[in-house]
Amino acid sequence: MNSILLHAPALIIALPLLAAFITPILGRFNRKTISWLATCVLGLTLLLTIFVARQVLTHGPIVYVFGATETGLTLPFGYTMPIRIIFQIDAMGIFMGLITSLVAFLAAIYSISYMEQHTGLDKYYTLLLLLATSMFGMELTGDIFNFFVFFEIASISSVALIAFRSTISGEPAEAGLKYMVVSSISALMVLFAIGLFYGQYDALNMATIASVMQFTQLDKIALILLVTVLAMKAGSVPMHMWTPDAYSEAPAAITMILVAASQASLYALFRIVFSIYNVTLNTVTVGWILIILGVLSMFIGVTMAIIQKDIKRLMAYHSISQTGYMLLGVGVGLAVLTNPVALESFGIKAMEGGIFHIINNALYKGLLFLTAGAIFLRTDTRDLNKMGGLAHNMTYTTIFYIIGAAAIAGIPPFNGFASKLIIYESVYRFNPLLAIIAMLVSVLTLASFVKVFHSAFLGPRLEQYKSVQEVPKSMIIAMAVLSCLIVFFGLFPNLIVKYIVHPAVMALINQAHYTATILGGI
Amino acid sequence: MNIALLETGSGYWNTLIWVVTALIIGVCVLWLRNRGESRYKKDTDQTKPFLSGNPEVSKEDSHVGASHLYWGFTEALKNYYEPLVKMHTGNINDYSGWIVLVMAIIFIIIGVS
Amino acid sequence: MIGNFPFIAVIILIGLGVYSLLFKKNLIKIAIGLTLIESGVNLFLIALGFRKGAVAPIYTQAPEGVKMVLPTPQALCLTSIVIGVATTALILSIVMVIYQKYGTINTDEIRRLRG
Amino acid sequence: MIGGMSRIVRTMTTLIFGFILVYGFYVIAHGHISPGGGFQGGAIVASAFALLLVTYGTDQIQSYLSKDLLSILESTGLVLFITFAFLGLGATFFYNFVSNSGGLFGSPTTIGVNPGDLNTGGTIALMNMAVGLEVLAALGVIVLTMSVAAETIQKKEKQ
Amino acid sequence: MKKPVFFIAFIFFLAFMVLAAIGMRPFGEPSISNMDDYFIENAQAETAANNVVTTIVFDYRGFDTLGEGTVLFTAVVGIVALFREVAK
Amino acid sequence: MSPLISITHIVILVIMITAAFLAVVLRDLLSSVIALAAASLLLALEYYLLHAPDVAIAEAGIGAALTMAIYIFAIRATKK
């Protein structure tokens, strides 16, 4: 038993992968079991992730060396550089891993009834498992080329899932093509940057690169490429155009995972800026680049959301705007990284706000997309003009929608308020104007969700939706779990911030500790 | 440690106090509401609006659609919205063009500094 | 400059690919552009691993006492090539589906999702 | 494409097909001692499939080479591959537990330049075969699916 | 309207890529090669295979290869799902 | 590296870039795909000269043969 748990980091990847490989064979014999298989495996993965998280948060970072004689043998005897692929799991990585496993598990539960009428379900679940696996890989790995491989799996599987409904109409295929083109460019640019690193330092391990980083001309170019393409994959303005297309055309459960996937890219951006470059780069300039990207995303995202007529497109623009908050919080932290006084007084808090917002965003954005999926399942339309009066028939969905909308708009006591409050207060001490913009964006967010609430749920019972029923149980369970977590996080924010978010932020800031985990010694 | 207390760096915010306050306010509102008129009945002449003698519009027709909400807002910000909407062309060439453009801008910023 | 000629070739390949992505209106041309960028990046990796006067890193045929070229980029490049063919195949399949539904592969006409 | 090609081309293709197949499997099997390996060999075999498709047309080939069989082969290859990785769990995931152990593929090789022995390499040789199986089936499915789809779209256009 | 802007951006992109090419160490003379020298020296003893590239692909970086096979698998599943038969 | 081999490298790279250029600019899709395959084949040759036979076999098998087959299927399907 103990030895199995020693291999938990590898099993987090290997189990869903094995399930994904078996699914096509199994799908030939018994179509019904596939959804349950996927759900069970993802549930098991969630348990493993929680176990690993407990290990990491109590005993410090875990390393797992693939193919070595021992799991912790990072360096071959008598050498000072790692040669094998190493999983390096610190508080930040496992924080993202928790989000991913939770979201993937709930998406699998939700899909059981949501995808019932679709054909090709074995392919759907295979791709779902693969997408979850690839996100784990991106978050846990400590090897930059391994990151590229998982990045590519993530984009290919999400493209296939976005285009999954293209047998019905052409739009999903169009959205998939757009996403595929931009993510191929980004993956190739990441590979080019890896080549730049490899050519200079002859290393692929992120900690090794970080320990010899000199910020030469080539490192600058690699930084430009990596920051741009990862910010693009996270959906920041002005490279956000794929986001509304992809999010609105994917099935609802997949949209929820795509939100988490774009946050995994955001995580990779933070990892590269903080763990590989850290203070060698010009922190103020790069910090301001992140801040400007964040502010643009917040503002343009929310203003574009207000004029949308498609419910999922509207929510997709909101997720762009929420990404802006994370970039803003962490960007402020980066901008004051070389100034210990400012870092201590508000930089760390700003980063805590930004990182805390990641998990909050995954929860309420996921909930909102799931409610949008529930509406789509019953009314067969995403056009807000055609909806109305759904609150009469879909009571649970309405309640969940209100919780999600209140959380995203930052109304206490839900979780969105907690992280936004931290961001406002700490950013205000950095630059008051930014905090004011952030608050304005929050108000506009509330306005646009009031619009959705009014046009979809309120109003008289419409003729064509007289016979609409509440959605099936599995969908309600998934939404209820998310709602409970939102309320819990909102009521006890300090619990989360202190025990999960703060270690994650410290793991990002403390580069010496990151390299020492692999290379040994301080 | 008080788990319901959120430290924000420059101060703190207590969720429990907020929840309790909200509950008290809610109870007060309910109490005020109960003190209101008790002879009010639904679906009688009491609730019918008087529109200068015109017949009342049916409820289905009076529902404001999503496109008409915030009409004034978008109309007032027309100068802002027009170029913004035009920017979202939906053309794949432009999608990749924006990426290259942002790369170039960041290159100029980082290269100069 | 002349000593770095493979790197210059890499840049030209990537440039051609990006040009094709930005200014070509045909979806198949866009796929060709992606393939070109990918070839460029692969050539970059292999060129990084080259060592003057060295031989291929295979002990079966190598002469005695000669240095070998760096093997890691070759492994990475192998991975990258297979990933490239997977990507290309998926893109072209989506292009075929789009043609089936829209009746065109011109990027100016494939923009039902916008705004 | 629909009708296939002339008889001479067909005969030549059938002849060449066998040679390409043999060469592909040779490359897969000798991956650990000579240039090549699972990916290269699988790609070569799959290009032989593509050649068959081009000369004979999709309709004829589909009766010999079903997509279902190929996708089962593909999954099997990957499951084998990950199983070899799992078997290393005594030490770590992906530990090469066969090499230098005696047994099949387990004999040690002489250090330095030597002509090489097929019975070496440990899991490398086994994984080469698993990956070769997977790659040839995967690329075969891709080629087959796309050619069938292309033909369907063409037929719809004509109507 | 936007074409010239993108063209100028493209020129800048090319410019910094050329900077990368010129700034790279001279072709054929790797300055540091610790990791690769380790592979070349120890691959035969540790894994008993003559082809160093294959030892890296399947042993030292075997996990990448699993990912690579997964990419291919994903693409195949995606393509089959795209062209799947629609029942009814 | 002797000048002769250096010149061979340069010649192959120049022909390859020409083929890639043709692949981008040619109007006829079929000819541009053939140019792409030619570029791929020359790239495989270049890999071989750079002492990467593994990659050369992969590039020749996948890049030149299979990718071209896939492209031809796509072009045939999307032909007007």
Side-chain angles (χ1 to χ4, degrees), chain D residues 124-138:
Chain D
I124 293 177
L126 296 167
M127 282 176 176
N128 253 329
M129 286 168 196
V131 167
L133 188 65
E134 189 255 335
V135 169
L136 80 89

Side-chain angles (χ1 to χ4, degrees), chain C residues 2-114:
Chain C
I2 196 71
N4 269 3
F5 59 89
F7 297 140
I8 298 296
V10 167
I11 302 305
I12 295 174
L13 274 181
I14 294 180
L16 280 171
V18 173
Y19 176 83
S20 181
L21 279 170
L22 255 59
F23 303 111
K24 287 287 173 186
K25 293 291 175 194
N26 193 316
L27 284 183
I28 298 209
K29 285 276 183 185
I30 286 179
I32 288 177
L34 282 175
T35 313
L36 282 180
I37 300 181
E38 192 229 324
S39 320
V41 176
N42 287 344
L43 180 59
F44 180 58
L45 285 176
I46 293 292
L48 281 179
F50 185 68
R51 188 144 54 174
K52 276 179 187 159
V55 295
I58 297 163
Y59 278 102
T60 311
Q61 318 141 325
E64 290 275 1
V66 183
K67 279 190 295 184
M68 289 180 173
V69 300
L70 309 187
T72 320
Q74 301 191 12
L76 305 187
C77 192
L78 214 53
T79 309
S80 158
I81 285 176
V82 177
I83 289 176
V85 74
T87 319
T88 313
L90 191 60
I91 289 183
L92 290 175
S93 316
I94 298 180
V95 168
M96 281 154 77
V97 172
I98 285 182
Y99 181 76
Q100 216 174 356
K101 304 283 180 192
Y102 286 33
T104 175
I105 50 168
N106 188 332
T107 54
D108 282 338
E109 292 163 41
I110 304 172
R111 40 204 282 270
R112 283 190 206 166
L113 299 166
R114 62 166 186 263

Side-chain angles (χ1 to χ4, degrees), chain A residues 259-320:
Chain A
V259 173
S262 71
Q263 285 173 347
S265 304
L266 198 66
Y267 157 79
L269 174 62
F270 296 159
R271 181 58 93 200
I272 279 160
V273 171
F274 280 99
S275 293
I276 293 189
Y277 287 91
N278 207 292
V279 289
T280 57
L281 52 72
N282 190 343
T283 49
V284 178
T285 316
V286 181
W288 270 99
I289 288 173
L290 290 189
I291 292 171
I292 288 169
L293 284 177
V295 170
L296 276 177
S297 311
M298 281 197 301
F299 198 74
I300 293 182
V302 81
T303 43
M304 281 303 288
I306 287 180
I307 57 169
Q308 296 302 315
K309 296 173 195 67
D310 181 324
I311 181 167
K312 282 180 85 179
R313 254 186 117 72
L314 188 147
M315 291 177 179
Y317 274 112
H318 275 297
S319 70
I320 295 167

Side-chain angles (χ1 to χ4, degrees), chain A residues 167-341:
Chain A
T167 43
I168 302 166
S169 68
E171 278 89 351
E174 185 192 334
L177 180 85
K178 288 172 177 174
Y179 186 40
M180 186 79 233
V181 171
V182 290
S183 53
S184 304
I185 300 171
S186 61
L188 290 169
M189 290 304 149
V190 168
L191 188 57
F192 192 82
I194 291 170
L196 289 175
F197 285 144
Y198 176 81
Q200 291 176 82
Y201 306 122
D202 197 63
L204 292 166
N205 189 286
M206 289 206 247
T208 316
I209 296 172
S211 67
V212 291
M213 172 61 64
Q214 283 149 359
F215 206 50
T216 57
Q217 185 73 29
L218 297 180
D219 290 332
K220 268 185 191 174
I221 290 167
L223 180 75
I224 295 164
L225 295 172
L226 288 170
V227 165
T228 316
V229 298
L230 291 173
M232 189 275 286
K233 286 283 281 189
S236 83
V237 173
M239 303 162 286
H240 63 288
M241 278 87 157
W242 62 269
T243 324
D245 302 350
Y247 284 11
S248 64
E249 293 302 333
I254 298 310
T255 316
M256 181 166 85
I257 306 186
L258 285 179
V259 173
S262 71
Q263 285 173 347
S265 304
L266 198 66
Y267 157 79
L269 174 62
F270 296 159
R271 181 58 93 200
I272 279 160
V273 171
F274 280 99
S275 293
I276 293 189
Y277 287 91
N278 207 292
V279 289
T280 57
L281 52 72
N282 190 343
T283 49
V284 178
T285 316
V286 181
W288 270 99
I289 288 173
L290 290 189
I291 292 171
I292 288 169
L293 284 177
V295 170
L296 276 177
S297 311
M298 281 197 301
F299 198 74
I300 293 182
V302 81
T303 43
M304 281 303 288
I306 287 180
I307 57 169
Q308 296 302 315
K309 296 173 195 67
D310 181 324
I311 181 167
K312 282 180 85 179
R313 254 186 117 72
L314 188 147
M315 291 177 179
Y317 274 112
H318 275 297
S319 70
I320 295 167
S321 142
Q322 299 301 313
T323 307
Y325 278 99
M326 303 159 205
L327 282 171
L328 173 65
V330 179
V332 168
L334 182 61
V336 296
L337 192 63
T338 43
N339 180 353
V341 181

